[in-house]
Amino acid sequence: MHQQIRLFGAIAVRPAVIALIPQFESATGLTVTVKWEVNPTVKKQIEAGEAFDLVIINPSMVQDLTATGKVKAGSQVAFGRVGMGVAAKAGSRPLDMGSVDAFVHALKCAETIAYASDGTSGGYFSGLLDRLGIAEEVRPKLVAVPGGQTASAVGRGEAELAVVPVTSILAAAPEVVLAGRFPAELQSYIDFAIGVSANPRDPEAARQLSEFLTSASVDHILAAKGVERR
């Protein structure tokens, strides 16, 4: 009897990983239990003693957890990257995001903009407003929303737009649409890596799941969910 593999990951990759798990379970007969938080919270909870077998978060955080003995040295592998996008309510007027000027114009015209205040994407967006010189104008319109709910806040009418990883926007359909990705000059990719626990319940099962999630055979499913491989 195999024990369950405990996967702990970042909310931004949740839609993509969830789409893959049934395939892994039926191929191996193993069961995967999942827990999702924003990147910094995943790291904090593991540091505080949360039990896990496999983790998917930012590469630098996997490195930190390896240094503190929580993740097995040498187990880190690249998973993929997720770009930033803007979510709008389905049926709203199309937005032009094709250039930096158009992107800035869209932000200035929006009445409210949701962002993941506690996540990696929220930190990047906040810094980007400073860089573009529009922080004073745009910041009063920002609505801080917990990471897992940022895109769906638009569907619920809590904000006109949401700035969040593309994966979360695609997963919030049909009420929410991807109005556009950040223009290339402003795009920030959030990288994700996999690490195996230094103390997994079943080391072989954890290794199998890591190999499955990084295999080329699942690239097309990940791409459809917004995760790009390098």
Side-chain angles (χ1 to χ4, degrees):
M1 169 74 184
H2 270 295
Q3 287 179 315
Q4 294 173 329
I5 306 170
R6 299 161 298 184
L7 173 64
F8 195 6
I11 284 168
V13 294
R14 175 177 179 262
V17 175
I18 278 182
L20 299 177
I21 286 173
Q23 189 183 327
F24 174 78
E25 290 182 329
S26 62
T28 61
L30 298 167
T31 308
V32 182
T33 59
V34 292
K35 179 177 176 180
W36 309 99
E37 299 285 356
V38 291
N39 280 288
T41 306
V42 175
K43 179 173 176 265
K44 275 196 200 104
Q45 291 188 2
I46 287 175
E47 285 170 341
E50 175 87 29
F52 73 103
D53 297 307
L54 210 70
V55 64
I56 308 179
I57 44 170
N58 300 147
S60 61
M61 294 184 181
V62 177
Q63 286 157 20
D64 291 346
L65 291 172
T66 305
T68 54
K70 297 289 188 185
V71 165
K72 182 177 180 244
S75 71
Q76 180 170 342
V77 282
F79 176 63
R81 64 181 193 174
V82 178
M84 296 280 290
V86 178
K89 199 173 173 74
S92 55
R93 60 185 176 81
L95 284 176
D96 174 14
M97 302 257 164
S99 66
V100 174
D101 287 347
F103 178 78
V104 167
H105 179 71
L107 294 182
K108 286 181 171 181
C109 291
E111 287 185 15
T112 46
I113 304 165
Y115 77 116
S117 52
D118 50 357
T120 311
S121 68
Y124 173 73
F125 181 59
S126 196
L128 181 62
L129 295 179
D130 290 323
R131 221 170 80 207
L132 291 170
I134 56 171
E136 275 186 34
E137 194 173 344
V138 175
R139 217 161 250 146
K141 310 172 179 199
L142 296 185
V143 181
V145 179
Q149 299 298 315
T150 311
S152 42
V154 171
R156 292 193 302 266
E158 292 165 19
E160 185 183 337
L161 301 177
V163 172
V164 71
V166 169
T167 42
S168 302
I169 301 172
L170 296 176
E175 295 84 7
V176 176
V177 294
L178 176 61
R181 295 170 189 260
F182 279 30
E185 304 94 312
L186 306 178
Q187 184 57 275
S188 169
Y189 289 97
I190 304 171
D191 283 295
F192 292 92
I194 295 173
V196 177
S197 170
N199 187 27
R201 278 197 293 216
D202 184 337
E204 176 57 20
R207 186 191 63 75
Q208 275 182 274
L209 180 56
S210 177
E211 282 188 2
F212 170 77
L213 291 174
T214 53
S215 68
S217 64
V218 300
D219 285 4
H220 64 291
I221 300 173
L222 291 180
K225 299 288 181 184
V227 175
E228 299 175 25
R229 299 285 211 189
R230 287 286 190 179

